[in-house]
Every structure is written in C-alpha cells, then in structure tokens.
C-alpha cells in the first residue's frame, strides 16, 4: 500500500478548510471548529463567516442550505442504491473541476464531499453507500439556534444581506415547515456545486477507501489488516467497511492462545498472546491464495476451539485485531491500517464497554502486553495508513475530526 499515510496531516486537497480560529497543533492543520464542544452560537458564527469568505457570491438561500445540511444532513433517504450510484457517476462525469478542498466542513456532524473524490479512486458505489449511511439525523432545535445566529449576524451587519429580507425569508421558510432548499442560481453559475453529504466521522477514512476502491477497480484481490490498541475502534471500523463492501471480517480475538500455549516463554514474546501461527495457516494463507477459508474460532468461556467455519473467497477480506500486523503476518496483508487512541479515550471506552471489574484486567494485563508489542514491533511505523481514533470522536455532542490526506 505504499508509504505510511497519516490520516490527519495537512498538505493535500483532502484537507478540510478550518473554521476561522481553528487551532494548529503539532504542525498539523486540524479542522476542529474553533470552540468544539463549546457554545453552538460561537461555532455557527465562525462557520458563517468562513462560508461567506469562501463563497463571496453566496446568497441567503445558500446560507440557509448550508445550515439545513449542518443540522439535518442528507435531505432524503436513498430508496434505490444502484440508481444513486449511477446518478453520482453521471454527475461526476459532467461536473466542472472543483477548485477548492474536496472535503468541506459544515456547522455540525456532516461534511460535503465534492465529486472530484472519484478522481482520487473512490467509487461511486462507495460514495453512495456512505451517503445512505449518513441519512439518519434530525436536529430541529439545533437548526433553530443556527438560524437565530444567522439572523442576528445579519442585523449586526456581520453578513452582507438585508435584515428585513432575511427575517421575511426565515418566517416564510418556517411557515412552510422548513422544506429542503436549493442553491441559488448565482451560486450554481459561480461555483457549479457537485457534492454529496456524509457524516464527518467518515471523512478521515476517505484516503483508505480510495486505496481500497482503486485496488478493487483493478481486479486486485485484497486483504486489509486493521491493528491498534484495545478500545481504538478496530472492530467498529471493520464493521463499517463490511457494510460498505459486503465483505468477510476475521477477528484476531478468535485466535487467543489455547491453555497449553499460555506459557511464560510465550507471553514474554512481544505479541505472543495471539495464536498468530494458526491465524496465518487457517486464514491469511488461504486469503493470499484466493482459496476458501476454513478456520476454528476460540471460545473464551470453554477455552476450546469451535467447529470449523468455512468462508468463500472474496475480492476484499478484512482481518482486524491487536497483533495482526506482527512481522510474521504482515507479508500476507495487501493494505494495512493502524489505529491510535489517546489513553484518556481508551480508558473511557474500555470502562463503558467492559465494566469496571473487567476493565481493570485490561489496564493491569492486556494493555501492558499490547504496549510491549507496539514498542518492539512498531506496527505504527510499518503500516500503510494511520488513523487517529480521537480524530473521529464526538466531544460534548459535537463532531471533531482532523484533516484527511494522503
């Protein structure tokens, strides 16, 4: 999969343009809103100032549309996925080249993804599926607050519109029940908008999805490995990708050591608490050879292997779990991802997922074993992509995400 790609670094057109006042940390352009998790009014004000600066020919209806999308996301559900895919492909083929950033933040948990993303390798099918997965949000109260900020800014002269006209337009729109609105003809002529909405939490995944779609378009059978500390979101990411690609997922948790393997010598090895030999023989080698996979899951309650399960070969297969980027396994992966997570978020997630008693076992035993593996084997330096779990986490109900780039 080429050199390691930090999903979060700047310097590529995938990068989200930051709101005014977005902080610059560790040399990376982070597209957090200026008061992420703070006052919605401050966020909306910064967003609107940014929007009129980026689109000086925008009219009131264009700001209405941006706020509507910020609060409600996709304007309709997708009834026919194949038709949506075909429409995206057709629209992209006729769209004017986009001069700005491919991923554009909105004032809420959504982003606009411009159709130039298809030129980077993303398929119309994947974009249509991301759009469909994002069409599940309603936020009437937040929307009304955003409109109040807009009308207040117009009255104060912070936005270049007539206050009376703005109030009449908002009143008429409210009386009609706030139906979806359209870009103005002036905006269409000036900027030729061609985009789809998606949840902001999906944006950092776009470089990875472009890589996968590019390989699949070339007919290249692909095994994707997802490694990272416990609580970093490996299983969640694998489940999302399985939804997008209808592909099998194999879990490293099904390859815990059997009782007779649990020796001090084995646990002394970095990454030794995974039965990597069985994972290699039963899963990775067959995947590499395009053969059916026949493997046995380890049952943690009975401490025994379950009856064999057979999985047909697929164009994309996912192997997820800690230690799956062990050097003995890495040559059998085609694309690799390492997730990272801050200690604070990791602790919060493990407590919520496992309860205090079980979580303590993670803190005392499993996390130190994982850290020994990361220190010794350095999968984060050998993988194709690094994705920060913190970059796609909700903070006080507001989405925070870093810029996504190759």
């Amino acid at each position: 999969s080429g050199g390691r790609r930090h999903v979060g670094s700047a310097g590529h057109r995938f990068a989200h343009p930051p709101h005014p006042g977005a902080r610059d940390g560790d040399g990376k352009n982070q597209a957090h809103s200026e008061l992420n998790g703070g006052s919605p009014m401050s966020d909306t004000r910064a967003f609107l100032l940014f929007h009129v600066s980026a689109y000086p020919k925008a009219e009131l209806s264009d700001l209405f549309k941006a706020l509507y999308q910020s609060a409600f996301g996709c304007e309709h559900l997708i009834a026919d996925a194949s038709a949506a895919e075909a429409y995206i492909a057709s629209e992209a083929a006729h769209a004017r080249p986009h001069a700005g950033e491919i991923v554009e933040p909105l004032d809420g948990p959504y982003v606009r993804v411009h159709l130039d993303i298809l030129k980077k390798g993303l398929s119309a099918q994947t974009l249509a599926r991301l759009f469909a997965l994002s069409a599940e949000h309603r936020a009437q109260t937040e929307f009304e607050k955003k409109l109040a900020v807009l009308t207040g800014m117009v009255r104060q002269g912070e936005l270049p519109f007539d206050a009376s006209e703005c109030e009449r337009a908002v009143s008429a729109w409210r009386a009609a029940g706030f139906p979806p609105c359209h870009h103005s003809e002036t905006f269409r002529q000036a900027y030729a908008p061609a985009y789809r909405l998606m949840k902001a939490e999906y944006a950092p995944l776009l470089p990875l999805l472009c890589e996968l779609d590019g390989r699949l378009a070339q007919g290249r059978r692909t095994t994707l490995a997802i490694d990272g500390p416990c609580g970093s979101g490996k299983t969640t990411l694998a489940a999302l990708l399985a939804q997008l690609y209808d592909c099998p997922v194999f879990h490293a948790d099904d390859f815990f050591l059997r009782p007779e393997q649990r020796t001090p010598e084995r646990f002394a090895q970095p990454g030794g608490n995974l039965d990597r030999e069985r994972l290699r023989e039963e899963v990775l080698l067959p995947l590499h050879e395009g053969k059916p996979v026949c493997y046995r899951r380890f049952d943690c309650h009975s401490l025994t292997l379950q009856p064999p399960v057979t999985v047909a070969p697929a164009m994309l297969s996912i192997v997820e779990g800690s230690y799956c980027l062990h050097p003995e396994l890495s040559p059998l992966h085609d694309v690799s991802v390492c997730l990272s997570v801050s200690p604070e978020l990791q602790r919060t997630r493990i407590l919520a997922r496992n309860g205090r008693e079980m979580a303590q076992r993670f803190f005392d035993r499993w996390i130190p074993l994982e850290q020994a593996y990361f220190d010794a084997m350095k999968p984060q330096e050998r993988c194709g992509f690094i994705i920060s779990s913190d970059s796609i986490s909700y903070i006080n109900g507001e989405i925070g995400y870093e810029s996504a780039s190759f």
Side-chain angles (χ1 to χ4, degrees), residues 204-223:
L205 308 179
L206 287 172
L208 170 64
L209 301 181
C210 287
E211 172 81 6
L212 295 176
D213 283 352
R215 293 180 62 90
L216 296 175
Q218 297 169 13
R220 301 167 69 185
R221 193 180 301 275
T222 299
T223 299

Short mmCIF file of all heavy atoms in Angstrom, two decimals, residues 204-223:
data_model
loop_
_atom_site.label_atom_id
_atom_site.label_comp_id
_atom_site.label_asym_id
_atom_site.label_seq_id
_atom_site.Cartn_x
_atom_site.Cartn_y
_atom_site.Cartn_z
N PRO A 204 -12.15 11.09 7.75
CA PRO A 204 -10.76 10.63 7.86
C PRO A 204 -10.50 9.28 7.20
O PRO A 204 -9.35 8.89 7.03
CB PRO A 204 -10.55 10.54 9.38
CG PRO A 204 -11.55 11.47 9.97
CD PRO A 204 -12.74 11.33 9.08
N LEU A 205 -11.56 8.55 6.84
CA LEU A 205 -11.39 7.24 6.22
C LEU A 205 -11.25 7.32 4.71
O LEU A 205 -10.93 6.32 4.06
CB LEU A 205 -12.60 6.34 6.55
CG LEU A 205 -12.97 6.21 8.03
CD1 LEU A 205 -14.20 5.31 8.17
CD2 LEU A 205 -11.81 5.68 8.85
N LEU A 206 -11.50 8.48 4.11
CA LEU A 206 -11.56 8.58 2.67
C LEU A 206 -10.27 8.16 1.95
O LEU A 206 -10.34 7.47 0.93
CB LEU A 206 -11.97 10.00 2.26
CG LEU A 206 -13.45 10.33 2.53
CD1 LEU A 206 -13.72 11.80 2.27
CD2 LEU A 206 -14.37 9.46 1.68
N PRO A 207 -9.08 8.54 2.43
CA PRO A 207 -7.88 8.05 1.73
C PRO A 207 -7.78 6.53 1.70
O PRO A 207 -7.39 5.95 0.70
CB PRO A 207 -6.73 8.69 2.54
CG PRO A 207 -7.33 9.91 3.14
CD PRO A 207 -8.75 9.53 3.47
N LEU A 208 -8.14 5.89 2.82
CA LEU A 208 -8.15 4.43 2.86
C LEU A 208 -9.17 3.88 1.87
O LEU A 208 -8.88 2.93 1.13
CB LEU A 208 -8.46 3.95 4.28
CG LEU A 208 -8.75 2.45 4.43
CD1 LEU A 208 -7.53 1.61 4.06
CD2 LEU A 208 -9.22 2.14 5.85
N LEU A 209 -10.36 4.45 1.83
CA LEU A 209 -11.40 3.96 0.93
C LEU A 209 -10.99 4.15 -0.53
O LEU A 209 -11.29 3.30 -1.38
CB LEU A 209 -12.72 4.68 1.21
CG LEU A 209 -13.29 4.52 2.63
CD1 LEU A 209 -14.61 5.26 2.76
CD2 LEU A 209 -13.44 3.06 3.01
N CYS A 210 -10.31 5.25 -0.83
CA CYS A 210 -9.80 5.45 -2.19
C CYS A 210 -8.80 4.37 -2.56
O CYS A 210 -8.82 3.86 -3.70
CB CYS A 210 -9.15 6.83 -2.31
SG CYS A 210 -10.31 8.22 -2.33
N GLU A 211 -7.94 4.01 -1.62
CA GLU A 211 -6.97 2.94 -1.87
C GLU A 211 -7.67 1.62 -2.14
O GLU A 211 -7.34 0.90 -3.09
CB GLU A 211 -6.04 2.82 -0.67
CG GLU A 211 -5.09 1.63 -0.71
CD GLU A 211 -3.85 1.86 -1.55
OE1 GLU A 211 -3.66 2.99 -2.03
OE2 GLU A 211 -3.07 0.91 -1.73
N LEU A 212 -8.64 1.28 -1.31
CA LEU A 212 -9.35 0.02 -1.49
C LEU A 212 -10.11 0.00 -2.80
O LEU A 212 -10.05 -0.99 -3.56
CB LEU A 212 -10.31 -0.20 -0.31
CG LEU A 212 -9.68 -0.40 1.06
CD1 LEU A 212 -10.76 -0.51 2.14
CD2 LEU A 212 -8.77 -1.62 1.10
N ASP A 213 -10.83 1.07 -3.11
CA ASP A 213 -11.60 1.11 -4.34
C ASP A 213 -10.70 1.05 -5.57
O ASP A 213 -11.05 0.44 -6.58
CB ASP A 213 -12.46 2.38 -4.39
CG ASP A 213 -13.69 2.28 -3.50
OD1 ASP A 213 -13.95 1.19 -2.96
OD2 ASP A 213 -14.38 3.30 -3.33
N GLY A 214 -9.54 1.70 -5.49
CA GLY A 214 -8.61 1.67 -6.61
C GLY A 214 -8.12 0.25 -6.89
O GLY A 214 -8.04 -0.18 -8.05
N ARG A 215 -7.80 -0.48 -5.83
CA ARG A 215 -7.36 -1.86 -5.99
C ARG A 215 -8.48 -2.74 -6.55
O ARG A 215 -8.26 -3.55 -7.45
CB ARG A 215 -6.86 -2.41 -4.65
CG ARG A 215 -5.59 -1.77 -4.11
CD ARG A 215 -5.19 -2.41 -2.78
NE ARG A 215 -4.90 -3.83 -2.95
CZ ARG A 215 -3.69 -4.32 -3.25
NH1 ARG A 215 -2.66 -3.50 -3.40
NH2 ARG A 215 -3.52 -5.63 -3.39
N LEU A 216 -9.67 -2.58 -6.00
CA LEU A 216 -10.78 -3.41 -6.45
C LEU A 216 -11.15 -3.11 -7.90
O LEU A 216 -11.52 -4.02 -8.66
CB LEU A 216 -11.99 -3.19 -5.54
CG LEU A 216 -11.79 -3.63 -4.08
CD1 LEU A 216 -13.00 -3.26 -3.23
CD2 LEU A 216 -11.52 -5.14 -3.99
N ALA A 217 -11.04 -1.84 -8.30
CA ALA A 217 -11.33 -1.48 -9.69
C ALA A 217 -10.36 -2.14 -10.65
O ALA A 217 -10.69 -2.39 -11.82
CB ALA A 217 -11.29 0.03 -9.86
N GLN A 218 -9.14 -2.42 -10.17
CA GLN A 218 -8.14 -3.09 -10.98
C GLN A 218 -8.24 -4.61 -10.90
O GLN A 218 -7.41 -5.32 -11.49
CB GLN A 218 -6.74 -2.65 -10.54
CG GLN A 218 -6.46 -1.17 -10.73
CD GLN A 218 -5.19 -0.73 -10.04
OE1 GLN A 218 -4.38 -1.54 -9.61
NE2 GLN A 218 -5.01 0.58 -9.93
N GLY A 219 -9.24 -5.10 -10.16
CA GLY A 219 -9.40 -6.55 -10.04
C GLY A 219 -8.38 -7.20 -9.14
O GLY A 219 -8.11 -8.40 -9.27
N ARG A 220 -7.83 -6.46 -8.19
CA ARG A 220 -6.79 -6.99 -7.30
C ARG A 220 -7.42 -7.48 -6.01
O ARG A 220 -7.97 -6.70 -5.23
CB ARG A 220 -5.75 -5.91 -7.01
CG ARG A 220 -5.07 -5.37 -8.25
CD ARG A 220 -4.29 -4.09 -7.98
NE ARG A 220 -3.13 -4.33 -7.16
CZ ARG A 220 -2.34 -3.38 -6.69
NH1 ARG A 220 -2.62 -2.09 -6.95
NH2 ARG A 220 -1.29 -3.68 -5.94
N ARG A 221 -7.33 -8.78 -5.78
CA ARG A 221 -7.84 -9.35 -4.53
C ARG A 221 -7.05 -8.75 -3.37
O ARG A 221 -5.82 -8.68 -3.42
CB ARG A 221 -7.69 -10.87 -4.55
CG ARG A 221 -8.48 -11.58 -3.46
CD ARG A 221 -8.28 -13.08 -3.56
NE ARG A 221 -8.72 -13.60 -4.85
CZ ARG A 221 -9.96 -13.94 -5.12
NH1 ARG A 221 -10.92 -13.78 -4.21
NH2 ARG A 221 -10.27 -14.43 -6.31
N THR A 222 -7.76 -8.32 -2.33
CA THR A 222 -7.13 -7.52 -1.28
C THR A 222 -7.47 -8.03 0.11
O THR A 222 -8.64 -8.29 0.42
CB THR A 222 -7.58 -6.04 -1.40
OG1 THR A 222 -7.18 -5.52 -2.67
CG2 THR A 222 -6.98 -5.19 -0.30
N THR A 223 -6.44 -8.17 0.93
CA THR A 223 -6.61 -8.44 2.36
C THR A 223 -6.20 -7.19 3.12
O THR A 223 -5.07 -6.71 2.99
CB THR A 223 -5.75 -9.63 2.82
OG1 THR A 223 -6.15 -10.80 2.11
CG2 THR A 223 -5.93 -9.87 4.31
#
